């Protein structure tokens, strides 16, 4: 168990180190928002599927040949002549604006969504877990799970070769104190969080721990087997009747 705590400690230390580095690299981007002037190189419309809001990405090259891309609101883009409305009232890119010089007020520049540095670091570190996303981690955090607990659960998920659904199952098991979805080789289940962690890390004498995965085909196979069996019986029964009929017909 000490080995498990040590490894988890290394993970958390890595997360904190990554977080500090991420903040350092992010700082210049926030400070680089200055008056935008130059030639328009690209215009891209982007719609947020969750909010339905449309924003515009504008690529501009200044007189020194330096390029930058900024995000502005749809209204601002229309005022600058970068976007127009079609006959149905839908925003479309104004191709004539490409190659034209513009100036954009820095106060109209929209900042991209700021992600929690620890949540982002965890999603990056455990990116090998299938189906795991930054948003799944932040949802778990929003449900009252600390990042320390989430890091432990992610590590245990990886040890079990699990995916995002296993991550959710472990979190739920810890919350409910019910680990019946996980069994030892002898068919029993951990009774508490400490025993569960020891088992996953290989420190429990009962053997390896595995997650119970219901086999939906089990019942179907059984039904198919019964169906085939009945079919064969009926076939044999009909065959016997036919043979008996033939036998009686051949009697003198």
């Amino acid at each position: 168990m000490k080995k498990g705590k040590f490894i988890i400690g290394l993970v958390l230390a890595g997360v904190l180190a990554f977080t500090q580095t991420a903040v350092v690299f992010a700082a210049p981007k926030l400070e680089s928002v200055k008056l935008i002037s130059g030639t328009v190189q690209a215009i891209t419309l982007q719609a947020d599927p969750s909010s339905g809001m449309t924003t515009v990405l504008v690529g501009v090259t200044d007189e020194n040949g330096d390029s930058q891309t900024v995000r502005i609101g749809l209204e601002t883009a229309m005022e600058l002549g970068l976007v127009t409305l079609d006959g149905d009232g839908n925003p479309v890119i104004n191709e004539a604006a490409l190659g034209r010089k513009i100036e954009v007020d820095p106060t109209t520049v929209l900042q991209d969504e700021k992600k929690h540095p620890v949540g982002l670091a965890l999603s990056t570190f455990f990116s090998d877990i299938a189906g795991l996303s930054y948003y799944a981690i932040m949802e778990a955090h929003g449900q009252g799970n600390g990042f320390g607990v989430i890091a432990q659960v992610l590590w245990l998920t990886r040890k079990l070769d699990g995916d995002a659904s296993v991550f959710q199952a472990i979190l739920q098991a810890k919350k409910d104190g019910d680990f019946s979805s996980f069994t030892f080789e002898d068919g029993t289940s951990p009774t508490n969080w400490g025993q569960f962690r020891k088992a996953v890390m290989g420190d429990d004498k009962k053997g390896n721990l595995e997650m119970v995965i219901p086999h939906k085909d089990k019942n179907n196979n059984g039904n198919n087997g019964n169906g085939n069996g009945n079919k064969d019986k009926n076939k044999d029964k009909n065959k016997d009747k036919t043979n008996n009929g033939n036998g009686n017909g051949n009697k003198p």
Side-chain angles (χ1 to χ4, degrees), residues 68-116:
Q68 62 176 315
T69 300
V70 295
R71 186 185 301 277
I72 58 178
L74 186 59
E75 185 177 347
T76 302
M78 292 179 65
E79 291 176 353
L80 292 171
L82 302 175
V83 174
T84 60
L85 298 178
D86 62 13
D88 297 324
N90 299 315
V92 293
I93 296 172
N94 180 14
E95 300 289 346
L98 294 173
R100 193 180 69 190
K101 292 184 178 181
I102 64 167
E103 288 189 350
V104 180
D105 184 344
T107 60
T108 62
V109 174
L110 304 176
Q111 296 295 331
D112 287 334
E113 176 189 3
K114 294 181 180 179
K115 294 184 177 180
H116 195 291

Side-chain angles (χ1 to χ4, degrees), residues 20 33-35 59 70 78 84 95 104 110 117 121-122 137 141 147 163 177-178 188 198 206:
Q20 293 176 353
V33 180
K34 300 177 181 179
L35 180 63
V70 295
M78 292 179 65
T84 60
E95 300 289 346
V104 180
L110 304 176
L122 285 173
I137 291 175
H141 182 62
F147 284 119
D163 57 11
D178 179 8
T188 61
K198 287 176 62 178
K206 288 192 175 185

Side-chain angles (χ1 to χ4, degrees), residues 194-213:
Q195 188 181 36
F196 175 80
R197 286 187 302 172
K198 287 176 62 178
V200 176
M201 299 306 295
D203 297 331
D204 197 290
K205 296 181 180 179
K206 288 192 175 185
N208 295 328
L209 191 72
E210 60 181 15
M211 186 173 183
V212 178
I213 302 177

Side-chain angles (χ1 to χ4, degrees), residues 174-228:
K174 184 180 186 303
K175 178 181 179 181
D176 298 338
D178 179 8
F179 299 91
S180 59
S181 294
F182 303 85
T183 60
F184 291 109
E185 292 176 341
D186 62 2
T188 61
S189 299
T191 58
N192 55 60
W193 175 241
Q195 188 181 36
F196 175 80
R197 286 187 302 172
K198 287 176 62 178
V200 176
M201 299 306 295
D203 297 331
D204 197 290
K205 296 181 180 179
K206 288 192 175 185
N208 295 328
L209 191 72
E210 60 181 15
M211 186 173 183
V212 178
I213 302 177
H215 296 286
K216 296 182 180 179
D217 295 336
K218 188 174 181 180
N219 293 329
N220 292 336
N221 290 337
N223 292 334
N224 290 337
N226 292 335
N228 292 335

Side-chain angles (χ1 to χ4, degrees), residues 6 8 10 12 17 35 49-50 55 64-65 99 101 118-119 126 133 157-158 166 174 178 198 207 227 229 249:
F6 175 72
I8 292 173
L10 287 179
L12 294 176
L35 180 63
S50 59
T55 56
N64 297 321
K101 292 184 178 181
V118 178
F126 293 99
S133 67
T157 300
R158 177 185 281 175
V166 175
K174 184 180 186 303
D178 179 8
K198 287 176 62 178

